[in-house]
């Protein structure tokens, strides 16, 4: 067998890695207009590439995040720093979801930022579980406070209450 090995350029391999990544990957220009999304973004949000390319990333904005949140995010990025945090975003269907993201500047050979890269995960289930745990803790604390000062005893004889 005299087959030549398959050769791929590093750019091809990198594109395949991003396309096949289990994470949400988005690349925007400096103004926040979307230049690239991977298939996970499409599956999660319900948007096709054609529907979002060239659009501002704010199309995902749910309206639930405080305005200062975005000011801080953009100040961090425009200062050339990486930003990490969570967003409450909106899908094409109108349904909301939570996303944990790291957004990093992409710099050219001269060190000048030309794009932003967002790598994110859908954390909606985790956030729901955290909320349920918090509500359970609050219910427990209310019960404890309501019964403070009361004491009761259960007497068991032969496994039966008396």
């Amino acid at each position: 067998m005299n087959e030549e090995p398959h050769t791929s350029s590093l750019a091809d391999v990198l594109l395949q890695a991003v396309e096949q990544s289990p994470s949400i990957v988005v690349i925007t220009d400096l103004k926040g207009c979307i230049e690239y999304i991977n298939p996970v973004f499409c599956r999660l949000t319900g948007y096709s590439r054609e529907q979002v390319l060239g659009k501002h990333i704010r199309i995902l904005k749910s309206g639930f995040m405080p305005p200062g949140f975005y000011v801080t995010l953009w100040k961090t990025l425009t200062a050339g720093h990486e930003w990490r945090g969570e967003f409450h975003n909106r899908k094409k269907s109108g349904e909301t979801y939570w996303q944990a993201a790291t957004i990093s500047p992409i710099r050219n050979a001269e060190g000048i930022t030309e794009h932003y890269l967002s790598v994110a995960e859908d954390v909606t289930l985790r956030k729901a579980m955290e909320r349920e745990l918090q509500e359970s803790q609050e219910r427990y604390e209310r019960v404890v406070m309501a019964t403070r000062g009361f004491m009761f005893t259960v007497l068991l004889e032969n496994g039966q209450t008396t």
Side-chain angles (χ1 to χ4, degrees):
M1 226 157 133
N2 218 358
E3 289 184 37
E4 293 200 19
H6 181 272
T7 56
S8 297
S9 72
L10 181 56
D12 290 338
V13 172
L14 289 171
L15 180 59
Q16 289 172 354
V18 171
E19 286 282 308
Q20 297 172 26
S21 171
S23 298
I24 303 157
V25 179
V26 178
I27 297 174
T28 69
D29 66 12
L30 296 178
K31 294 179 181 175
C33 293
I34 299 169
E35 293 190 352
Y36 171 84
I37 56 169
N38 72 343
V40 176
F41 175 96
C42 296
R43 283 194 300 273
L44 174 65
T45 66
Y47 286 105
S48 69
R49 283 192 170 142
E50 296 75 25
Q51 291 171 316
V52 298
L53 292 180
K55 299 281 189 335
H56 197 279
I57 195 71
R58 78 173 63 94
I59 65 168
L60 301 175
K61 198 172 179 180
S62 68
F64 295 119
M65 302 302 292
F69 173 87
Y70 297 104
V71 170
T72 301
L73 180 150
W74 282 104
K75 278 185 180 180
T76 301
L77 292 175
T78 57
H81 303 293
E82 179 180 273
W83 179 91
R84 290 176 188 260
E86 296 180 344
F87 295 97
H88 196 196
N89 280 344
R90 186 174 307 281
K91 299 178 182 185
K92 181 181 175 187
S93 68
E95 178 185 0
T96 60
Y97 67 98
W98 280 97
Q99 173 178 303
T102 299
I103 306 174
S104 308
I106 301 175
R107 295 178 180 86
N108 64 17
E110 290 79 36
I112 298 168
T113 301
E114 292 187 340
H115 295 89
Y116 296 115
L117 167 68
S118 173
V119 178
E121 304 294 328
D122 178 0
V123 294
T124 306
L125 182 58
R126 187 200 79 201
K127 295 292 275 187
M129 290 172 33
E130 288 173 355
R131 186 179 61 249
E132 287 179 29
L133 182 60
Q134 178 66 34
E135 290 169 356
S136 177
Q137 177 69 27
E138 290 169 1
R139 283 191 306 272
Y140 170 77
E141 289 173 2
R142 283 194 304 272
V143 167
V144 168
M145 292 303 291
T147 59
R148 188 174 250 162
F150 290 94
M151 181 185 276
F152 57 93
T153 304
V154 175
L155 180 61
L156 290 178
E157 286 184 18
N158 297 326
Q160 301 292 319
T161 58
T162 58

